[in-house]
Tab-separated table of all heavy atoms in Angstrom:
chain	number	residue	atom	x	y	z
M	152	LYS	N	-98.543	123.374	202.354
M	152	LYS	CA	-99.185	124.408	201.540
M	152	LYS	C	-98.687	125.804	201.882
M	152	LYS	O	-99.091	126.789	201.234
M	152	LYS	CB	-100.709	124.337	201.715
M	152	LYS	CG	-101.318	123.050	201.208
M	152	LYS	CD	-102.830	123.064	201.361
M	152	LYS	CE	-103.436	121.745	200.855
M	152	LYS	NZ	-104.918	121.759	201.009
M	153	ASN	N	-97.863	125.951	202.910
M	153	ASN	CA	-97.364	127.250	203.284
M	153	ASN	C	-96.284	127.755	202.349
M	153	ASN	O	-95.825	128.881	202.469
M	153	ASN	CB	-96.818	127.215	204.718
M	153	ASN	CG	-97.923	126.999	205.740
M	153	ASN	OD1	-99.050	127.456	205.556
M	153	ASN	ND2	-97.606	126.279	206.790
M	154	ASP	N	-95.797	126.893	201.470
M	154	ASP	CA	-94.726	127.282	200.544
M	154	ASP	C	-95.326	128.018	199.360
M	154	ASP	O	-95.661	127.413	198.342
M	154	ASP	CB	-93.940	126.049	200.076
M	154	ASP	CG	-92.807	126.454	199.129
M	154	ASP	OD1	-92.458	127.649	199.089
M	154	ASP	OD2	-92.301	125.545	198.432
M	155	ASN	N	-95.489	129.300	199.488
M	155	ASN	CA	-95.988	130.131	198.400
M	155	ASN	C	-94.801	130.744	197.668
M	155	ASN	O	-94.236	131.717	198.116
M	155	ASN	CB	-96.903	131.227	198.942
M	155	ASN	CG	-98.122	130.660	199.638
M	155	ASN	OD1	-98.743	129.729	199.112
M	155	ASN	ND2	-98.463	131.201	200.792
M	156	SER	N	-94.409	130.130	196.585
M	156	SER	CA	-93.230	130.605	195.854
M	156	SER	C	-93.443	132.018	195.374
M	156	SER	O	-94.507	132.408	194.891
M	156	SER	CB	-92.938	129.690	194.659
M	156	SER	OG	-92.645	128.395	195.091
M	157	ARG	N	-92.416	132.840	195.525
M	157	ARG	CA	-92.510	134.220	195.148
M	157	ARG	C	-92.392	134.382	193.630
M	157	ARG	O	-91.714	133.584	192.981
M	157	ARG	CB	-91.421	135.044	195.841
M	157	ARG	CG	-91.473	134.851	197.356
M	157	ARG	CD	-90.399	135.663	198.043
M	157	ARG	NE	-90.337	135.333	199.456
M	157	ARG	CZ	-89.527	135.902	200.317
M	157	ARG	NH1	-88.693	136.829	199.904
M	157	ARG	NH2	-89.519	135.545	201.582
M	158	VAL	N	-93.026	135.434	193.139
M	158	VAL	CA	-92.996	135.672	191.669
M	158	VAL	C	-91.855	136.636	191.371
M	158	VAL	O	-91.591	137.573	192.105
M	158	VAL	CB	-94.352	136.278	191.235
M	158	VAL	CG1	-94.310	136.591	189.736
M	158	VAL	CG2	-95.482	135.361	191.583
M	159	ALA	N	-91.186	136.377	190.271
M	159	ALA	CA	-90.054	137.224	189.893
M	159	ALA	C	-90.487	138.680	189.703
M	159	ALA	O	-91.611	138.959	189.233
M	159	ALA	CB	-89.446	136.707	188.605
M	160	ASN	N	-89.645	139.583	190.088
M	160	ASN	CA	-89.914	141.009	189.960
M	160	ASN	C	-89.989	141.397	188.499
M	160	ASN	O	-89.015	141.245	187.777
M	160	ASN	CB	-88.802	141.786	190.671
M	160	ASN	CG	-89.077	143.269	190.720
M	160	ASN	OD1	-89.908	143.800	190.013
M	160	ASN	ND2	-88.389	143.950	191.668
M	161	PRO	N	-91.115	141.915	188.024
M	161	PRO	CA	-91.217	142.237	186.612
M	161	PRO	C	-90.261	143.347	186.193
M	161	PRO	O	-89.895	143.438	185.008
M	161	PRO	CB	-92.672	142.709	186.470
M	161	PRO	CG	-93.103	143.097	187.833
M	161	PRO	CD	-92.349	142.213	188.759
M	162	ASN	N	-89.823	144.176	187.137
M	162	ASN	CA	-88.890	145.258	186.807
M	162	ASN	C	-87.514	144.724	186.437
M	162	ASN	O	-86.692	145.456	185.944
M	162	ASN	CB	-88.737	146.223	187.992
M	162	ASN	CG	-90.047	146.961	188.301
M	162	ASN	OD1	-90.673	147.456	187.386
M	162	ASN	ND2	-90.409	147.005	189.559
M	163	ALA	N	-87.263	143.442	186.764
M	163	ALA	CA	-85.928	142.880	186.561
M	163	ALA	C	-85.665	142.498	185.117
M	163	ALA	O	-84.532	142.358	184.707
M	163	ALA	CB	-85.733	141.653	187.440
M	164	GLU	N	-86.718	142.285	184.329
M	164	GLU	CA	-86.512	141.698	183.007
M	164	GLU	C	-85.618	142.514	182.101
M	164	GLU	O	-84.722	142.003	181.485
M	164	GLU	CB	-87.886	141.494	182.342
M	164	GLU	CG	-88.745	140.438	183.013
M	164	GLU	CD	-88.074	139.077	183.106
M	164	GLU	OE1	-87.447	138.667	182.115
M	164	GLU	OE2	-88.143	138.455	184.145
M	165	GLY	N	-85.877	143.830	182.071
M	165	GLY	CA	-85.050	144.648	181.181
M	165	GLY	C	-83.575	144.617	181.573
M	165	GLY	O	-82.727	144.530	180.706
M	166	HIS	N	-83.303	144.691	182.870
M	166	HIS	CA	-81.900	144.666	183.338
M	166	HIS	C	-81.272	143.329	183.003
M	166	HIS	O	-80.129	143.263	182.562
M	166	HIS	CB	-81.843	144.925	184.836
M	166	HIS	CG	-82.218	146.334	185.194
M	166	HIS	ND1	-81.455	147.420	184.838
M	166	HIS	CD2	-83.291	146.821	185.896
M	166	HIS	CE1	-82.004	148.536	185.316
M	166	HIS	NE2	-83.105	148.199	185.952
Side-chain angles (χ1 to χ4, degrees):
K152 295 182 180 180
N153 293 325
D154 180 16
N155 298 317
S156 297
R157 304 180 188 182
V158 179
N160 188 340
N162 295 313
E164 293 302 317
H166 291 293

